[in-house]
Amino acid sequence: MAFEAIPSIVGRTIELFPDRVAVETPDSRLSYAELDGLADGVAAALHRAGAGAGSVVAVLTDDRAELAAAMVGVLRLGAVLAPLDLSAPPLRLAAVLADARPTHALVGADGDRRADGPLDAAPDTVRVGLGAAKSAARDSYPARTAAPDDPSHLFHTSGSTGRPKGILGRLSSLDHYIRWQAGLLGAGPDWRVGQLVSPGFDAVLRDVLLPLSVGGTLCAPPAGIRSDPSALARWIDRERITLIHCVPSVFRPLLTAAVTGGLGFASLRCVALSGERLPPADAARWFDRFGDRVTLLNLYGPTEATMTKTFHVVTRSDTDRASVPVGRPLPETEVLLLDEGGAPVPDGHVGEIHLRTPHLALRYHRQPEATARAFVPDRLREGADGLLYRTGDFGRLLPDGALEFLGRRDHQVKVGGVRVELEEVESALRECPGVTEAAVVLGEPGDGPPLLHAFVEPAVGVDTDAVRARLAERLPAAAVPVGIVATDGIPRTISGKIDRAALRPPAPAAAPDEHTVGPRNATERAVADIWSAVLPAPAVDVRRTFQQSGGGSLAVISVLSRIEEEFGVSLPLLTFLRNPTIEALAGVVEEALLDTASDDLLKD
C-alpha cells in the first residue's frame, strides 16, 4: 500500500464533501468546509507563533470540534500532535507536559483555566489560543512534502520510574491503520463514529481520523454521560451511531444497559474492542441480544505499534473458547513468538509477542535506554537492518492460526483499558508521608473489573485514607488502588525482590461489630449484594460510603449497570455521587420504583 499522509487523505475528503457534517457535538455541527478553515487557521496560528515541522504541540481542549480541527491543523504543519485530557488530575497533566516539553500548546477557545497550572510545568511552551486560530488567515503557512517516517504524534503511558513514558509515533502508521480499518469495515460517508475515549490515549486517533478520512461524521456525546452506561447507550441508539471503539469494561455495562432498556442499536454496524481481554461470556450475551447483525472486532496492539496490529472478527463459536483470540496481523505486519533466547517457539507453544512492521513508533521520547530495550534488532531475517518491537506480552498460536493473548511479561497491567505500570503506582506510594515501602497487585473479583490493591509499610503511622487521597491527585483514576493495606512486612523472594505472587487482596471483612448497621430491608440487602459483587470486601455497613468501602470510579460503572439490571431503574452518575451509601442509594431506588408504579397506574 503506497504511503499517503493523513492530511492529504482528509483534504481529499473535504474536496468531495464540503457541505457534509464532519463533527457533531452537543453544542455544534461543523461541516467539512468549516473544518478545513479551522484546521488552516490552527496551522497558520502555530506557524506565526514559531512552530514548524517536528515541533511538539500539546492540545488542551474539551471541545471535540476544536480537538478535530487542532489534530488536522497540527498534522498539516508537519508538527507532532500531543493531545491531553483536561479532566486528568492536574499533577498528572503537569508530569506529562514536563516530560513532553512541547514547544507550543493549543488551548481551547474559551481559554480553559485548567490548563494554566499544568502548563507551569512547561514554562518555555508558547501558548496559542484556539480562538485566535479561528480568525487566522488561511493558507499562511509553508506547504511541505510529508515522508512516511516523519514524527506525527506523542502519547504517554505509565513508566516504571514513576514518570510518564512518551511514545513518539510516525506518520506512516496513521495512514496504514486508518485506511486498513476503513477498508475492512467498508466505512463511508454515511458512517457516524462515536468519540468515547480520552484525548490522552492513542485510540483517539482512530476515533477522529477514521470518519474524517471517509467523509463520515465524528459524533461526541455530552461529557457527563461518558461514564453513565445507560445514558451512553441511549445516546448511541438515539444518535444512530455506526461505529464505536471501547474497552471491554465499557462494553459490558453498555450491553447490560441495552438489554434492560430494550435498545436495538439499529444503526450500529461495528463495536471495535481493545485494551483488555474480551471475556467469551460477554460475547455470548451480545450474540444472544443482537445476533450477527453487528460486527464485534477484537483488536490487539500496544501504543508503541500505533493503536492495534492484530484483529479478529468475533464469531459465535468463539464464545465456547477459554478466551477470545486477538487474531491475525494487519497487512505489512508479522507476529513472532519468541523464547527468552530470541528464537521462535514451536507452534502451539507460549512465547513473547514481537511485532515486525515498518509502522512501529519511532522511539520513546527522550528515553534512549528504554527504546533500546523494547525496539530490538531483527536478527531473524538475514541481512535485515530493521527492528522488532518486544511487547512484553505472552501469546500462542491456536490450531487455526489465530493469536491468543495470555498476559504480560512484566508488571504492566490494564485497568479499564488504561495501561498502568505497577512500579509507577508504587513509586507514588513511596512519596506519601509515613510510607517507606509499597507493593501493588492486580485482583480480579469474580466477573467484575480488575482492581488494584496496595500494601504499604510500616503498619503504624500510615493514614491510608490520606494516602489514597494523595494518589487521586497524582495518578489517573484507573491507577488508584481501591484498597490500601498497612503491614509490618511485605513478602520478598530469596533474592530480596518483592514477592507479588505471595500478596493477596484483602480477605472478606469480618463479621460486623456492634457499631455496624447492616441491611434492614429487601432493597438495602439487594444493593448491598451488588456492592459486594464489585468491591474487594463485602459491603456490611449501610452507612459507609462507596469510597470508604474501597470502591473506585470504574467500580461505580459496574454498580450502576447492575442496579439497572436488578431493578430496571436507570440512575445518573450524579445521583450516585450524591447518595454514596447503601442506605441512601436504596432510598433513591425505592423512590424511582414508586414513581414508575405511579406512572403505570395513571396510564391504566
Side-chain angles (χ1 to χ4, degrees), residues 539-602:
V540 294
D541 192 333
V542 299
R543 299 170 303 181
R544 191 172 175 85
T545 69
F546 193 68
Q547 185 174 7
Q548 290 171 339
S549 300
S553 57
L554 294 172
V556 171
I557 297 175
S558 292
V559 168
L560 291 173
S561 176
R562 289 169 185 255
I563 284 177
E564 181 165 8
E565 192 171 21
E566 174 78 15
F567 296 102
V569 171
S570 175
L571 299 181
L573 177 62
L574 185 59
T575 298
F576 184 95
L577 296 176
R578 289 174 175 170
N579 300 274
T581 65
I582 292 171
E583 180 181 52
L585 196 60
V588 171
V589 169
E590 288 181 346
E591 288 179 8
L593 291 172
L594 288 172
D595 288 343
T596 301
S598 298
D599 290 343
D600 290 342
L601 286 172
L602 290 174

Side-chain angles (χ1 to χ4, degrees), residues 519-537:
R520 296 156 297 187
N521 56 50
T523 308
E524 287 185 354
R525 280 194 294 275
V527 174
D529 288 344
I530 290 171
W531 283 33
S532 296
V534 300
L535 292 175

